[in-house]
Amino acid sequence: MNEYAVTVIGHDRPGIIADVAEILARLGLNLTDSTMTRLRGHFAMTLVCAGPTTGAAIEAALEPLTAERTLLVTVRSVVEEPVHEPAGSPHVITLHGADRLGIVATLARAVAESGGNITDLTTRLSGSLYVIVAEVDATNPERLDTALRTAAQRLDVEVSMRPADADLL
């Protein structure tokens, strides 16, 4: 069984998910993981799928979706890697404040230097308000909380961290 990562980005329109999913299903590919979102009128999707076909066949089948040059599709083989169990506990970080350069970089550095790992991150800009919601695997929640508060003070933003609800998947 071959595994592939398929990304689709471009101008949003109704039916992109249906078009891609139908093509992959016709190729005998099972979607095992996915994330999809719309960002300011642009669509972004990453899928991991498994099946008996080749990367070249997937690219050829998806090529008609790129004909109008509003979507970009990439296909990459996924190499099997050892599964790493989370080293810490899941937490959710919420940050909000005035938009300024370097907020994501500062938050990400604070998490990394505290031994944490960001597993999901979403940002939104609403007028001049910048909001981040990040899921992290925190190996030392107290140390991470201290680092986040220090970073928030430097950036003049509000930050909070709480244990994440148990993932039902």
Side-chain angles (χ1 to χ4, degrees):
M1 192 73 63
N2 302 315
E3 272 196 310
Y4 300 95
V6 177
T7 61
V8 179
I9 59 172
H11 296 287
D12 188 34
R13 64 164 174 76
I16 296 172
I17 296 170
D19 292 345
V20 172
E22 288 170 353
I23 290 168
L24 297 177
R26 280 196 301 269
L27 292 171
L29 292 162
N30 184 41
L31 301 182
T32 58
D33 283 309
S34 67
T35 185
M36 305 169 204
T37 193
R38 194 174 81 183
L39 304 167
R40 294 192 184 193
H42 290 354
F43 179 78
M45 170 170 60
T46 300
L47 308 166
V48 175
C49 51
T53 193
T54 66
I58 298 169
E59 288 174 348
L62 292 171
E63 194 276 328
L65 298 180
T66 66
E68 294 178 8
R69 297 198 171 297
T70 61
L71 291 177
L72 172 66
V73 175
T74 61
V75 179
R76 296 184 57 197
S77 289
V78 174
V79 178
E80 189 171 333
E81 296 182 18
V83 176
H84 298 284
E85 291 300 318
S89 55
H91 283 72
V92 175
I93 297 168
T94 305
L95 178 147
H96 65 277
D99 184 28
R100 64 179 30 81
L101 187 63
I103 293 177
V104 173
T106 301
L107 174 76
R109 181 56 56 205
V111 172
E113 289 179 352
S114 299
N117 184 35
I118 297 172
T119 58
D120 192 61
L121 180 109
T122 302
T123 66
R124 290 283 185 260
L125 179 60
S126 178
S128 64
L129 179 66
Y130 199 76
V131 178
I132 298 175
V133 178
E135 295 177 19
V136 301
D137 178 30
T139 56
N140 186 330
E142 295 79 19
R143 181 177 168 200
L144 176 56
D145 188 59
T146 300
L148 290 172
R149 291 186 189 288
T150 300
Q153 188 173 20
R154 260 194 339 259
L155 292 167
D156 193 27
V157 297
E158 298 294 321
V159 69
S160 66
M161 184 176 82
R162 65 175 172 78
D165 295 331
D167 192 353
L168 299 177
L169 293 176

